[in-house]
């Protein structure tokens, strides 16, 4: 399990966080100069060079979100121009994309970050610019919420690109798009001018995900371990009944793909932060604010505890907690992760996402449960310390990736295995790089006595 160091603080990691942005600048510039839009969005590196793999273009928001985050941390106007111009030129189709569940990844990472900077007076923007960012976010949230499957018992979910029968763990983080659209006063308009609350769909999706994609140790099946996550849940559309767990990118439906876990672990604390800012009256139609927040907190803590207990001491998980090669690694949870082992790859991108979730959960619990708060903060900061170190932070100017040792799709064998190695290692992915910057910015702000959220405007 993760070794907890109670002496770690955001201030103690401030220098390491700044080093992340120093390392990122030439990589962002290199990718911008080398990228050929005709070949699709960059996804992951092969031999240190970003390559494209068309699937749903779900990483483009990270491509332009990275320079925006860099500007937020450093004030480098060149980075702001890269992010803003890229958003204006390439992101419009993502706002109206009805075929994906990735609006949080693409549109919140770009338009929302730009809106935050503009409204905070941290970046130049006209009233027209601000109205443009707001309109993009309003439409994005509504379009995402329209990709909807109703279930009995007032449940329902934003369905994945696999189809209306499929609920992904990933989509929790796209609830940010619904949250922002709702915050901006928008609703989804349905047939016969029916006004559909985006907050209602956010809450229904969050409850459905908690009920079916997250386990609570209640004996649901033989593999019901508290905090375990199923990447996908499958439903019978004829009657809305739940059928089975599944996984597209994990080892099996009954093991935990750690990046799927990380989306839950990051997404629920983010929603706790957001929903806490809304007045009690908004929750009256949904059973009240207190029980709603309690359910989200239960889910966040279950997944956080699972992550801490099923991750090596340095905070970096292997790609799936049930991957068969782990048996050959002995007591792998009692020592730091080994990215160059011969049996199973680690996934640093899952660590970057999870570290942010742990820190946000710890921050949320500071007054409510100081002991638990300290535990989650210590785990998140320990993971960040590892990610900011030489093993995972790429400072080689010839390598376009920032965060090393990430994994995209192990079952499909898409990840590059270097010559002389037996498992993927030494490569980067765009979501890993983006979330490392997001993590570093969060820690930088906390070190300054500030904070950073997706709804900070």
């Amino acid at each position: 399990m993760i070794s907890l160091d109670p002496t770690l603080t955001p201030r103690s990691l401030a220098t390491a966080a700044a080093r992340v942005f120093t390392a990122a600048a030439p990589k962002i510039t290199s990718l911008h100069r080398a990228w050929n839009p005709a070949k699709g969005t960059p996804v992951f590196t092969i031999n240190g060079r970003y390559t494209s793999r068309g699937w749903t273009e779900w990483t483009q928001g990270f491509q332009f979100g990275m320079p925006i985050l860099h500007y937020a941390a450093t004030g480098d106007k060149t980075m702001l121009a890269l992010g803003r111009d890229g958003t204006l030129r390439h992101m419009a189709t993502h706002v109206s994309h009805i075929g994906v569940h990735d609006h949080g990844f693409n549109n919140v990472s770009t338009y929302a970050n730009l809106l935050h900077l503009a409204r905070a007076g941290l970046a130049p923007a006209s009233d027209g610019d601000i109205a443009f960012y707001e309109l993009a976010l309003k439409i994005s949230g509504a379009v995402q919420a329209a990709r909807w499957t109703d279930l009995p018992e007032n449940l329902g979910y934003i369905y994945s690109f696999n189809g209306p029968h499929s609920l992904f763990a990933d989509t929790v983080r796209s609830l940010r798009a619904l949250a922002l659209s709702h915050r901006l006063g928008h609703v989804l308009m349905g047939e016969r001018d029916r006004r559909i609350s985006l907050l209602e769909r956010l809450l229904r999706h969050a409850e459905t995900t908690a009920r079916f994609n997250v386990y609570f140790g209640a004996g649901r099946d033989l593999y019901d371990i508290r905090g375990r996550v199923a990447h996908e849940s499958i439903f019978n559309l004829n009657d809305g009944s739940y059928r089975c767990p599944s996984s597209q990118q994990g080892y099996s439906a009954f093991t935990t793909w750690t990046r799927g876990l990380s989306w839950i672990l990051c997404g629920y604390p983010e929603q706790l932060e957001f929903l806490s800012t809304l007045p009690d009256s908004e929750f009256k139609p949904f059973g009240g604010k207190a029980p709603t927040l309690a359910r989200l907190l239960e889910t966040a803590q279950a997944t956080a505890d699972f992550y801490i207990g099923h991750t090596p001491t340095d905070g970096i998980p292997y790609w799936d907690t049930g991957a068969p090669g782990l048996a050959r690694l002995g007591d792998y949870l009692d020592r730091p992760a080994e990215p160059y082992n011969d049996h199973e790859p680690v996934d640093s991108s899952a660590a970057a996402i999870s570290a942010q979730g742990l820190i946000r959960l710890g921050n949320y619990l500071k007054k409510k449960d100081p002991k638990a708060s300290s535990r989650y903060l210590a785990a998140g900061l320990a993971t960040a310390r590892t990610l900011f170190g030489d093993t995972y932070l790429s400072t080689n100017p010839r390598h376009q990736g920032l965060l090393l040792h990430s994994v995209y799709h192990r079952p499909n064998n898409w990840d590059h295995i270097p010559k002389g190695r037996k498992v993927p290692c030494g490569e980067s992915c765009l979501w890993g790089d983006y979330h490392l910057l997001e993590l570093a910015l969060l820690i930088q702000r906390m070190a300054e006595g500030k904070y950073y959220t997706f709804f900070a405007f």
Side-chain angles (χ1 to χ4, degrees):
M1 64 180 290
I2 300 176
S3 295
L4 306 182
D5 180 355
T7 67
L8 270 181
T9 65
R11 187 179 296 275
S12 70
L13 291 179
T15 299
R19 182 170 174 256
V20 171
F21 291 103
T22 299
K27 297 174 184 297
I28 294 171
T29 302
S30 173
L31 177 58
H32 173 73
R33 290 173 177 170
W35 178 54
N36 180 356
K39 293 185 177 181
T41 304
V43 179
F44 54 79
T45 64
I46 296 177
N47 292 321
R49 307 299 294 179
Y50 261 107
T51 62
S52 300
R53 177 139 203 154
W55 198 7
T56 63
E57 302 296 305
W58 70 284
T59 60
Q60 191 142 53
F62 303 140
Q63 180 183 2
F64 302 122
M66 284 176 62
I68 298 170
L69 291 178
H70 196 284
Y71 170 81
T74 67
D76 185 336
K77 295 180 180 179
T78 302
M79 291 293 163
L80 176 62
L82 288 181
R84 184 173 54 195
D85 293 350
T87 299
L88 295 176
R89 293 180 183 181
H90 300 287
M91 295 305 297
T93 56
H94 295 286
V95 173
S96 59
H97 198 334
I98 64 172
V100 297
H101 57 264
D102 301 319
H103 281 242
F105 296 148
N106 275 320
N107 300 320
V108 176
S109 301
T110 48
Y111 294 103
N113 281 328
L114 287 169
L115 180 58
H116 161 66
L117 292 170
R119 280 202 175 183
L122 299 174
S126 67
D127 290 344
D129 292 332
I130 292 174
F132 172 68
Y133 303 149
E134 290 180 351
L135 181 60
L137 292 168
K138 288 177 180 179
I139 302 305
S140 175
V143 167
Q144 186 71 112
R147 190 176 174 82
W148 188 257
T149 294
D150 272 313
L151 295 179
E153 301 181 48
N154 201 33
L155 298 175
Y157 57 89
I158 299 164
Y159 58 86
S160 84
F161 60 65
N162 278 343
H165 64 287
S166 168
L167 167 60
F168 272 12
D170 317 27
T171 319
V172 166
R173 206 150 190 260
S174 275
L175 292 183
R176 296 177 302 159
L178 279 67
L180 291 174
S181 188
H182 174 77
R183 188 179 180 90
L184 292 168
H186 200 57
V187 297
L188 169 64
M189 297 299 293
E191 301 293 339
R192 303 177 73 177
D193 288 340
R194 180 166 70 101
R195 295 172 65 86
I196 301 168
S197 165
L198 297 177
L199 177 62
E200 178 183 2
R201 292 217 160 164
L202 184 161
L203 296 176
R204 289 173 68 187
H205 181 100
E207 171 56 29
T208 304
T209 300
R211 189 175 301 189
F212 296 107
N213 289 60
V214 180
Y215 291 77
F216 293 92
R220 174 173 152 186
D221 59 32
L222 182 62
Y223 306 99
D224 187 350
I225 301 171
R226 178 176 175 271
R228 197 181 79 72
V229 168
H231 178 211
E232 183 180 28
S233 291
I234 303 296
F235 296 85
N236 180 341
L237 296 183
N238 290 330
D239 62 3
S241 60
Y242 170 75
R243 299 311 306 145
C244 61
S246 183
S247 184
Q248 297 300 311
Q249 291 172 256
Y251 176 67
S252 81
F254 298 100
T255 62
T256 292
W257 174 51
T258 51
R259 194 162 79 248
L261 169 68
S262 73
W263 294 132
I264 299 285
L265 175 49
C266 186
Y268 277 81
E270 281 187 320
Q271 289 304 319
L272 282 167
E273 291 177 337
F274 168 70
L275 294 170
S276 296
T277 68
L278 301 183
D280 293 2
S281 59
E282 292 210 45
F283 295 85
K284 189 174 181 180
F286 317 121
K289 185 174 182 177
T292 297
L293 296 184
R295 177 60 163 163
L296 267 67
L297 179 59
E298 177 190 22
T299 306
Q301 288 194 265
T303 53
D305 291 343
F306 182 92
Y307 185 86
I308 292 170
H310 291 78
T311 297
T313 57
D314 59 356
I316 312 300
Y318 289 87
W319 74 282
D320 191 294
T321 62
L326 293 178
R328 300 183 181 183
L329 293 177
D331 297 327
Y332 65 93
L333 294 179
D334 296 330
R335 61 181 187 269
E338 301 171 18
Y340 295 107
N341 79 85
D342 288 339
H343 305 293
E344 296 290 354
V346 303
D347 187 0
S348 60
S349 71
I353 300 161
S354 295
Q356 183 180 162
L358 288 164
I359 291 170
R360 292 190 184 281
L361 179 57
N363 187 68
Y364 177 80
L365 287 170
K366 269 187 176 179
K367 295 181 180 179
K368 300 175 178 65
D369 188 342
K371 184 177 179 181
S373 169
S374 296
R375 182 169 183 262
Y376 298 132
L377 282 170
L381 292 172
T383 303
R385 177 175 60 185
T386 304
L387 293 171
F388 296 168
D390 292 337
T391 301
Y392 292 93
L393 180 65
S394 172
T395 56
N396 182 349
R398 293 189 296 274
H399 197 300
Q400 286 184 329
L402 180 66
L403 179 62
L404 300 175
H405 311 305
S406 64
V407 172
Y408 184 14
H409 205 312
R410 182 67 171 145
N412 278 359
N413 198 30
W414 285 355
D415 299 278
H416 178 64
I417 301 175
K419 186 177 181 180
R421 308 303 318 180
K422 295 183 179 180
V423 300
C425 57
E427 301 294 348
S428 304
C429 62
L430 216 54
W431 60 93
D433 290 358
Y434 175 88
H435 285 90
L436 186 69
L437 290 182
E438 202 168 61
L439 174 63
L441 179 60
L442 173 62
I443 289 174
Q444 181 195 73
R445 292 283 173 84
M446 292 175 71
E448 297 169 349
K450 303 174 184 177
Y451 204 61
Y452 166 73
T453 70
F454 74 89
F455 57 90
F457 53 75

